[in-house]
Amino acid sequence: MRGQLAALSIAAVVIIIGVPLWWRTTETYRAWLPVSQIQELANLELQLSADVEVVFARGTVTPEQQKKIPLTLSQDDEHVVDEDTSLRYRYETRYRTATIMEEDALNQPTAAEADLSLHMLSESPCGSLVVYVVPESTSLLPEDVEVYIGQRRTALLRIGTQMRVGRTLDQLLDHLEPRIKKLLQLMSFSHTDITAALSDRVRLSPGNKESIADSMRAFKSSPGYEITFSLLNPDPKSHRLHWDIEGAVQTFIQPLLTKLEPLANFSIDSQILYYAMLGVNPRFDNSHNAYTLNADSLAHVINPVEARLGSNAASSNPVLNFLLYVPDANHSPLYIQDRKKQQVPSNAFHSPRWGGIMVYNVNSFYGPDVAFPVDININMAKVMGVFLAQLRLLLGVQSSTPPPGFLVAPCGSSGLADWELDRLMWSRSVENIATATTTITSLAQLLDQIGNIVINDNIAQQVSSAVTSLQLAVAELESGNLGFALQYSKEAILASERAFFDPSLLHLLYFPDDQKFAIYIPLFLPMCVPILLSLLKIASEVRQRRRDKQTKTD
C-alpha cells in the first residue's frame, strides 16, 4: 500500500507541477503582431494626388469667360498593375486669372526672368505645379515653342492659334487639357516612372525597355550614400597631378546634395591612387593617331580598378565611385569609343549602380622635349561637369526628352530643378512603400511558417512602427502631401529592415520538432517508464479488487 501511495504521489507531482513547469519554461515567446493590417498592405492600392493650378494671363480669356471659369476640376486615372497592386492618379486642377503682380512678372523680357519673378511672388509647395497660360502674341517664348518649363514648379503655356479669343470656354479647356497632362507627366510623375519604382513588388513589362534601363541604372533607394572621388595616376614619374577636389565638390557637387537632403544623407571622400592601371590594354588607332578603348572592353576595366579602391566597412550604405584616370605618357592620348566606333565627347562612361570613369588626357599640356615629371593642374570644372551628369543618372534623376514644342530651362547652379526633385520624390516614395510592404509581408509569412521562432518585443515594436508608417505614407500620398509621404516611407523601410534582419530571427538558432523529441526522450523516458508501469499496476489491482468485491456480493 505504501508503494502505491508513493507512485501516485510522484505521478501527481510530475503531472500537476512538473509538466506545466516544463511547458512554461520551454515555450516560445511570440509577441503580438498586427497580422490583419499586414495582410491589408499585401494588397497595395496606391493613390497619387497632384495639385495643378492653371492661371490665365491677360489676353487669353474674355471678361465673360472669366466669370464662367470653374474653380476646380478632378480627373482620375486608374491602372491595375497586377492582382495585388493597383494605382490611381488623381489630378486636382484649380483655375483662376492672374493677379496684377503676376501680370507684371509675365512682362519680363525673357521666360527665365519671368520664372524667377513668379517664384519670388510665391513658392509652390512640394509636389504641386502652376501653369501660366499666356497669349499667342507673347514675347517670352520663341515662335516654335508652345511650353516653357522653368527651374521651379512653374510652366508657361502659349495658347494655340486656333484658340484665339472668341472661342467658347469649354473649347479652350479641352484644348489645354492634353498639354497640361503632358506637363504633369514630365514635371510630376508618369505611369512609366511609378511602375518602374514598383519593381520590388511587380515584374516589369518586357516592352517597357526605357523604364527598365532607367531603374537598373539608378541606385536603389537608401537612407544614405557614400560618394568617393578617386584620382588614378598610373605614371607618377611622368605626371605630377594637382586637383582641387575639395573646392570642386563645394562648387559643383554640394549644391546638388543639399537639394537632395530630403531624400538621403550623403558623405564624400576622395583619394589618389598611384600606379593604378586599367585592366585593359588600349589599342593604337592609326587613323586618329591615338589609343582607344572600345565599348566591348569597358566592362573589363572596372574589376581590376575596384580592387584598389578599398571599401568603407563602417557603413552599409551604397557607394558611388567616380574615377578620374590620367593615362600614362606611353598611352596618351586615350579616347573611349562607342559601339559605332565614334569618340565619346565626354571621354567617360558610367556603370549602372556602381559609378563612372572619366579619362583625362594631359599630353597637350607639354611638348615632346619636356623634362619629366610634369606638374599638371586638372581642370575641375570640366571633370565635375561630367561627374555631375553621371551622379544625376545614378541617383535616378531622369533626363527624359521633352515632347516637340517644349523648352526645358537648364537646371542652374544647383544641378537640379525643383520639379526634378519632386519627380524623384514621387518615385522614391512609391519605391520605399513597395520595398517596405514586401519586406514586412515576407517577414510575416516567415514567422507564420516557423512557429518556434521567438518574436521579442523589440521586433514587434519595429513591425508595428513599419506598418503605422506605411499607412501614414499611403494616406499622405493620397492627400498629395509629398514631403510627409516621403518621410513616412523612409521611416517604414528603416523599421521593416531592422525587424527583418534582427539577429534573433536567424532560423539556425531554432530546432525542428523531430530534433526536440530526440533531445527530450532520453531525459524523460527513464523517469516516465517506472511511473507509468506503477500506475498501470495500481489500475490493474483496483480492477481486480472490484471484481473480487462483485463476486462476494453475488
Side-chain angles (χ1 to χ4, degrees):
M1 187 66 181
R2 184 178 297 174
Q4 293 177 356
L5 291 175
L8 288 173
S9 300
I10 294 172
V13 170
V14 170
I15 295 173
I16 298 174
I17 300 176
V19 172
L21 182 62
W22 166 76
W23 186 271
R24 180 64 179 172
T25 55
T26 58
E27 71 174 347
T28 302
Y29 178 74
R30 295 172 68 86
W32 177 84
L33 296 178
V35 178
S36 60
Q37 299 178 32
I38 294 175
Q39 291 174 348
E40 292 177 0
L41 291 172
N43 296 320
L44 188 60
E45 297 180 359
L46 280 180
Q47 175 176 310
L48 281 68
S49 300
D51 292 333
V52 188
E53 190 173 24
V54 179
V55 182
F56 292 97
R58 186 185 299 115
T60 56
V61 290
T62 64
E64 289 297 324
Q65 290 173 338
Q66 291 182 17
K67 300 176 183 178
K68 300 178 182 179
I69 292 178
L71 294 178
T72 58
L73 287 178
S74 298
Q75 183 180 1
D76 290 347
D77 192 4
E78 296 186 6
H79 298 269
V80 178
V81 182
D82 63 10
E83 57 183 6
D84 296 327
T85 309
S86 61
L87 296 170
R88 173 184 292 177
Y89 308 125
R90 167 161 290 186
Y91 306 109
E92 296 281 350
T93 307
R94 299 190 304 274
Y95 297 92
R96 65 176 178 86
T97 55
T99 63
I100 297 177
M101 298 180 69
E102 287 174 331
E103 290 288 356
D104 291 339
L106 291 173
N107 288 328
Q108 296 292 327
T110 63
E113 291 176 308
D115 179 47
L116 177 60
S117 299
L118 292 170
H119 174 71
M120 298 296 291
L121 290 177
S122 62
E123 185 175 355
S124 303
C126 180
S128 64
L129 176 64
V130 181
V131 181
Y132 289 90
V133 181
V134 295
E136 179 193 2
S137 59
T138 181
S139 60
L140 292 174
L141 305 180
E143 293 183 0
D144 57 341
V145 174
E146 295 182 357
V147 178
Y148 173 83
I149 298 175
Q151 297 180 7
R152 286 86 189 175
R153 299 181 178 94
T154 58
L156 304 179
L157 193 156
R158 187 204 299 269
I159 198 168
T161 306
Q162 65 275 27
M163 284 293 124
R164 289 177 177 150
V165 177
R167 296 296 181 97
T168 64
L169 181 61
D170 291 338
Q171 290 175 331
L172 176 61
L173 297 181
D174 292 340
H175 170 71
L176 295 177
E177 181 181 349
R179 291 197 286 176
I180 292 176
K181 192 168 185 179
K182 284 184 180 179
L183 269 174
L184 277 168
Q185 293 174 351
L186 186 63
M187 299 181 68
S188 292
F189 55 80
S190 65
H191 183 60
T192 301
D193 297 339
I194 301 304
T195 50
L198 291 170
S199 58
D200 282 349
R201 279 185 63 95
V202 300
R203 187 183 299 274
L204 293 179
S205 171
N208 200 350
K209 295 181 180 180
E210 183 179 352
S211 63
I212 294 177
D214 289 337
S215 63
M216 291 179 63
R217 178 192 298 116
F219 277 84
K220 301 293 290 183
S221 180
S222 173
Y225 297 93
E226 311 286 336
I227 302 177
T228 301
F229 293 97
S230 303
L231 174 61
L232 276 59
N233 186 0
D235 191 10
K237 294 181 180 179
S238 301
H239 302 144
R240 190 181 291 122
L241 304 177
H242 306 279
W243 70 333
D244 182 16
I245 185 61
E246 185 176 355
V249 166
Q250 291 297 325
T251 303
F252 299 99
I253 303 298
Q254 193 57 50
L256 172 64
L257 301 185
T258 301
K259 205 160 188 177
L260 289 172
E261 283 181 352
L263 290 167
N265 298 319
F266 296 89
S267 64
I268 303 176
D269 54 31
S270 62
Q271 59 183 345
I272 300 177
L273 300 178
Y274 296 101
Y275 300 102
M277 305 292 293
L278 296 180
V280 177
N281 292 323
R283 296 179 180 180
F284 186 77
D285 188 347
N286 291 319
S287 61
H288 295 90
N289 195 27
Y291 290 88
T292 60
L293 287 174
N294 57 43
D296 295 330
S297 63
L298 297 181
H300 306 287
V301 170
I302 294 177
N303 288 345
V305 175
E306 190 175 21
R308 294 284 309 274
L309 296 179
S311 60
N312 188 357
S315 175
S316 60
N317 293 329
V319 180
L320 288 78
N321 297 286
F322 295 98
L323 278 61
L324 181 63
Y325 179 77
V326 178
D328 59 276
N330 296 326
H331 295 91
S332 294
L334 176 62
Y335 297 106
I336 298 175
Q337 292 183 342
D338 57 19
R339 298 191 181 278
K340 298 179 180 179
K341 303 300 181 182
Q342 300 294 323
Q343 289 185 6
V344 177
S346 62
N347 211 26
F349 70 96
H350 70 274
S351 178
R353 298 186 183 178
W354 185 84
I357 298 179
M358 178 182 180
V359 177
Y360 189 87
N361 292 305
V362 297
N363 58 294
S364 60
F365 285 70
Y366 53 85
D369 299 328
V370 70
F372 293 106
V374 182
D375 288 297
I376 297 173
N377 292 315
I378 295 176
N379 183 356
M380 297 306 296
K382 176 182 177 182
V383 173
M384 285 300 170
V386 175
F387 285 162
L388 183 63
Q390 293 177 343
L391 180 61
R392 283 168 50 92
L393 289 173
L394 293 170
L395 291 178
V397 182
Q398 301 174 9
S399 300
S400 55
T401 304
F406 281 58
L407 176 62
V408 179
C411 53
S413 59
S414 65
L416 190 71
D418 290 352
W419 59 270
E420 287 181 312
L421 176 63
D422 290 353
R423 185 172 178 175
L424 187 58
M425 290 174 66
W426 285 113
S427 298
R428 291 303 196 199
S429 299
V430 174
E431 181 183 349
N432 291 342
I433 291 173
T435 303
T437 53
T438 302
T439 302
I440 213 70
T441 52
S442 299
L443 178 60
Q445 293 173 1
L446 173 69
L447 298 178
D448 182 60
Q449 293 173 359
I450 307 178
N452 58 347
I453 288 186
V454 175
I455 306 176
N456 57 43
D457 293 333
N458 178 52
I459 294 175
Q461 181 182 359
Q462 295 294 343
V463 171
S464 299
S465 175
V467 171
T468 302
S469 297
L470 277 171
Q471 293 172 337
L472 290 172
V474 172
E476 295 295 346
L477 274 183
E478 185 174 344
S479 302
N481 299 324
L482 181 55
F484 289 114
L486 177 64
Q487 182 61 35
Y488 286 130
S489 70
K490 289 167 59 179
E491 295 175 2
I493 197 171
L494 287 173
S496 63
E497 290 186 351
R498 279 197 295 264
F500 191 86
F501 294 107
D502 192 281
S504 65
L505 293 181
L506 292 176
H507 69 279
L508 295 178
L509 299 178
Y510 306 94
F511 300 100
D513 291 335
D514 54 350
Q515 294 187 18
K516 288 186 177 181
F517 283 118
I519 294 172
Y520 286 126
I521 285 177
L523 296 177
F524 287 100
L525 191 60
M527 179 184 67
C528 292
V529 169
I531 297 175
L532 183 60
L533 292 177
S534 298
L535 292 177
L536 291 175
K537 185 177 179 180
I538 292 173
S540 176
E541 291 178 357
V542 170
R543 285 197 299 269
Q544 184 62 37
R545 288 175 186 172
R546 287 181 178 177
R547 288 196 207 96
D548 294 345
K549 187 176 181 180
Q550 186 68 29
T551 302
K552 291 179 181 180
T553 304
D554 295 341

